[in-house]
Amino acid sequence: MLPTKEEAEKELQIAGELNPGPWVKHSLNTGIAARNIAERIPSLDADKAYIFGILHDIGRRVGIVSIPKHAYEGYRYCMEKGWDEVAKICMTHSYELMEDDFNYEPSTEEEVAIKEYIMDCEADDYDRLIQICDSLATDYGFVILEKRFVDVTRRYGIWEGTVEGWNKKFEIKENFEKVMGCSVYDVLPDIGRTTLLSPPPWKPPVK
């Protein structure tokens, strides 16, 4: 089950009021990227892709939280709404390596739940689409993958599996491009300009 586009946009607006930050515009741009790519892939529905994109980070409605926390909170919230397909995206969007992201025993409640879910789940093209669009969209527009990888690493640091994750996203990009018959960058508005921008990494406001 899915919300309508209008319902999804309203949910993101409400979430942004609960927890303001650049993640809201990033989510909107992720939706636009997903829609634009899906329009060039016959097996994907562009409206569905847009909804997945704008709600992939909806778990951030609860506040400034970690990657596992926002994935789990988004899953819980969407399941309460009956949006099981969106809930899946919330769980998978940060774990492009899927089960290979969990070659350790997680210690937090959220990571344990995510690992159990991922191990019993198979990624489809919508999961892979949002995984890559999450790395194509910033709050100020669209960027090439390398630029986004550096941006995220400056904020969170590098950890085991980071480079493997980058390589997986390049693989996803190349597979979509074979079907599209063009570069994913060709369908992202103004990417040439925004890729060259270098705003400082976002930091949470000091309370």
Side-chain angles (χ1 to χ4, degrees):
M1 181 176 171
L2 285 175
T4 65
K5 288 192 298 181
E6 293 74 21
E7 288 171 334
E9 289 166 347
K10 183 63 176 178
E11 283 289 340
L12 183 60
Q13 178 188 340
I14 293 169
E17 292 167 357
L18 293 171
N19 178 30
W23 75 272
V24 180
K25 287 186 178 179
H26 157 72
S27 296
L28 282 171
N29 285 333
T30 300
I32 292 169
R35 180 197 66 202
N36 289 7
I37 293 171
E39 285 176 343
R40 302 292 292 266
I41 298 176
S43 62
L44 296 180
D45 180 276
D47 287 345
K48 188 173 184 178
Y50 175 73
I51 292 166
F52 285 156
I54 67 173
L55 293 182
H56 78 284
D57 269 350
I58 198 66
R60 295 192 184 278
R61 69 193 306 280
V62 303
I64 299 168
V65 291
S66 66
I67 290 174
K69 181 74 173 176
H70 89 267
Y72 183 61
E73 289 297 332
Y75 169 79
R76 288 197 345 166
Y77 183 72
C78 290
M79 288 300 289
E80 289 172 3
K81 291 281 191 177
W83 302 335
D84 56 314
E85 292 178 271
V86 184
K88 183 188 179 200
I89 294 294
C90 290
M91 283 292 223
T92 62
H93 78 271
S94 292
Y95 300 98
E96 61 277 347
L97 298 178
M98 296 299 284
E99 63 270 13
D100 289 340
D101 272 308
F102 292 96
N103 56 358
Y104 66 95
E105 287 302 319
S107 57
T108 67
E109 173 190 353
E110 292 84 11
E111 284 186 297
V112 169
I114 294 168
K115 180 177 181 178
E116 290 178 355
Y117 186 91
I118 293 291
M119 292 297 182
D120 194 39
C121 155
E122 184 173 343
D124 61 21
D125 277 348
Y126 287 107
D127 297 293
R128 288 183 279 268
L129 178 64
I130 304 307
Q131 286 165 355
I132 188 176
C133 289
D134 193 18
S135 288
L136 293 169
T138 69
D139 60 303
Y140 56 87
F142 305 98
V143 296
I144 63 173
L145 290 179
E146 292 91 336
K147 179 66 175 286
R148 179 73 169 149
F149 293 160
V150 171
D151 173 54
V152 173
T153 301
R154 289 177 72 191
R155 285 187 283 132
Y156 295 110
I158 195 165
W159 56 87
E160 185 178 355
T162 294
V163 175
E164 288 86 349
W166 293 348
N167 290 336
K168 182 64 178 179
K169 288 189 177 181
F170 280 119
E171 177 187 320
I172 293 169
K173 170 181 174 289
E174 290 161 6
N175 287 338
F176 280 136
E177 288 174 337
K178 289 175 184 176
V179 180
M180 295 169 68
C182 66
S183 170
V184 298
Y185 301 141
D186 291 339
V187 300
L188 302 180
D190 214 16
I191 189 172
R193 181 185 67 82
T194 50
T195 284
L196 297 178
L197 299 178
S198 297
W202 180 78
K203 294 182 179 179
V206 177
K207 295 184 178 180

